[in-house]
Amino acid sequence: MKRQLRALAAAGLLVASSLVAVAIGGNASADTQICEQYGSAVIQGRYVVQNNRWGTTAQQCINVTSNGFEITTLNGSSPTNGAPTAYPSVFFGCHYTNCSPGTNLPIQVSQISSATSSISYRYVSGATYNASYDIWLDPSPKRDGVNQMEIMIWLNRQGPIQPIGSVVGTTNLAGRTWEVWRGSNGSNNVISYVASSAISSLNFSVLDFINDTRNRGAITNSWYLTSIQAGFEPWQGGVGLAVTSFSASVNGGGNPTTPPPTTPPPSGGASCAVKYTANSWNNGFTADVQITNTGSSAINGWTLTYSLPSGQQVTSAWNATVSQSGSTVTARNVGHNGSVAPGGTASFGYQGSLSGSYSSPSSFSLNGATCSRS
């Protein structure tokens, strides 16, 4: 359910307000106030600052500066066991058809030679929020709607809030140790990297976090980076929170033939078995897929990949988000079946079109690890 109301912005359902100084896509000068729900402004001719009040009807205003923004009014609040009220942020790339000027995103992961960014925050006390850096990816070069993969970097967490899903381990990136969470909000999969203590500024390689997510089997090199965003998710309070500087640069020239790793990652792999039951007719088929966790620890968020034989094309699916690129099928859990206990199962199914004789896939990989057939 995270950030679903932002789709209204793409439909043009924005209400004019006398408090709004800048409309969607306008150029901002220093100290420009935005109170419109999805109002945005361009800074430095390169980045977009957005109010993005998606989780409450209460007023929220931000003051846009030449280098970032500050939250100046925040009247809404949300229970700490639910979603935040908003995601005021600055971004590079495309967000619900609003693309930053001159951006080269979306860009295929395999084509990226480097992706770097820097961010500086100003924090306040007495509020419940996170300082969140978002990296969005999708199997297609998507410029609108919800992407299938969200990477969140929590540089500061205040109050009794937690990322989506559950802890799956730790990792060392950008010279720090991060607690890694994995789950789904029902619309997209999420991998979150949570700092152990507040970080007020960071200069880092975005590509390092993308590669770590890929190594966990959540994406492949054929996916597209669509946007890089930095801001705050407030639950209660937060006036005075500010992004004081932001920069991002993504360079092409990578190697599109570089394959993803084939060895299971230590915290993202899985011990698994797959049962594939199909029913075919002249020009179509259905398939029921059951995943069994044969390991000794729970699977929290799963991505199953395999290749369909020639002449088969997925047309619809249930109990999973299923996409197909060429012969490669990628199936991701939905909200209710993302956690699989040892010995437990998760199932999904789909219908497809068929040209020629039918045969079933021969091998499956779950979160980067090869599964046995059952």
Side-chain angles (χ1 to χ4, degrees):
M1 63 183 172
K2 181 181 176 188
R3 293 197 275 283
Q4 293 307 294
L5 294 181
R6 293 182 299 185
L8 296 176
L13 301 178
L14 299 176
V15 180
S17 169
S18 61
L19 294 173
V20 179
V22 178
I24 291 284
N27 288 306
S29 58
D31 300 323
T32 296
Q33 182 176 245
I34 301 178
C35 297
E36 193 171 12
Q37 184 173 9
Y38 299 108
S40 70
V42 174
I43 63 171
Q44 301 179 32
R46 179 175 173 83
Y47 309 117
V48 177
V49 174
Q50 57 180 354
N51 197 25
N52 201 12
R53 174 176 53 83
W54 65 272
T56 179
T57 58
Q59 187 182 65
Q60 173 181 285
C61 299
I62 59 174
N63 188 58
V64 182
T65 68
S66 58
N67 294 313
F69 67 92
E70 177 184 353
I71 300 175
T72 55
T73 303
L74 206 163
N75 294 328
S77 64
S78 296
T80 56
N81 63 347
T85 63
Y87 184 51
S89 51
V90 54
F91 70 85
F92 174 77
C94 294
H95 175 91
Y96 283 83
T97 72
N98 189 7
C99 295
S100 57
T103 184
N104 58 343
L105 305 186
I107 184 173
Q108 200 164 40
V109 170
S110 62
Q111 299 282 359
I112 301 173
S113 60
S114 66
T116 57
S117 184
S118 65
I119 181 75
S120 294
Y121 290 101
R122 186 175 70 239
Y123 299 133
V124 298
S125 59
T128 300
Y129 65 91
N130 70 37
S132 174
Y133 194 105
D134 271 18
I135 304 165
W136 288 93
L137 302 109
D138 195 80
S140 64
K142 201 168 188 178
R143 292 175 172 84
D144 187 18
V146 179
N147 287 192
Q148 292 189 24
M149 186 71 228
E150 178 184 17
I151 301 172
M152 297 188 73
I153 307 173
W154 287 40
L155 287 89
N156 190 4
R157 171 172 52 172
Q158 296 297 315
I161 55 174
Q162 67 179 43
I164 292 167
S166 56
V167 178
V168 296
T170 61
T171 191
N172 293 308
L173 295 169
R176 292 171 169 82
T177 300
W178 308 83
E179 187 177 64
V180 183
W181 293 62
R182 188 165 183 170
S184 172
N185 61 19
S187 297
N188 58 267
N189 292 322
V190 186
I191 292 181
S192 302
Y193 299 86
V194 182
S196 59
S197 59
I199 300 172
S200 59
S201 63
L202 189 66
N203 189 344
F204 68 104
S205 169
V206 173
L207 193 56
D208 286 351
F209 287 87
I210 294 174
N211 287 340
D212 187 79
T213 297
R214 181 203 62 198
N215 292 346
R216 295 174 187 275
I219 65 168
T220 69
N221 278 345
S222 66
W223 282 48
Y224 291 82
L225 171 64
T226 63
S227 69
I228 296 168
Q229 309 179 1
F232 300 96
E233 291 186 323
W235 272 259
Q236 297 168 5
V239 170
L241 292 170
V243 170
T244 57
S245 69
F246 172 81
S247 69
S249 178
V250 179
N251 297 309
N255 183 2
T257 63
T258 301
T262 57
T263 56
S267 59
S271 297
C272 51
V274 172
K275 181 179 180 181
Y276 191 92
T277 305
N279 178 37
S280 64
W281 55 94
N282 288 340
N283 57 358
F285 70 100
T286 59
D288 292 312
V289 186
Q290 182 184 78
I291 303 167
T292 300
N293 180 2
T294 59
S296 58
S297 59
I299 297 172
N300 294 293
W302 52 263
T303 299
L304 185 73
T305 57
Y306 53 96
S307 294
L308 285 180
S310 177
Q312 298 182 23
Q313 181 69 43
V314 176
T315 57
S316 62
W318 50 92
N319 292 329
T321 300
V322 180
S323 61
Q324 183 173 351
S325 177
S327 64
T328 302
V329 172
T330 304
R332 296 172 183 80
N333 68 275
V334 292
H336 66 81
N337 63 0
S339 296
V340 187
T345 62
S347 298
F348 69 94
Y350 58 90
Q351 183 170 329
S353 61
L354 175 63
S355 175
S357 60
Y358 176 82
S359 60
S360 294
S362 59
S363 61
F364 300 86
S365 178
L366 186 71
N367 291 356
T370 301
C371 299
S372 62
R373 293 293 300 271
S374 62

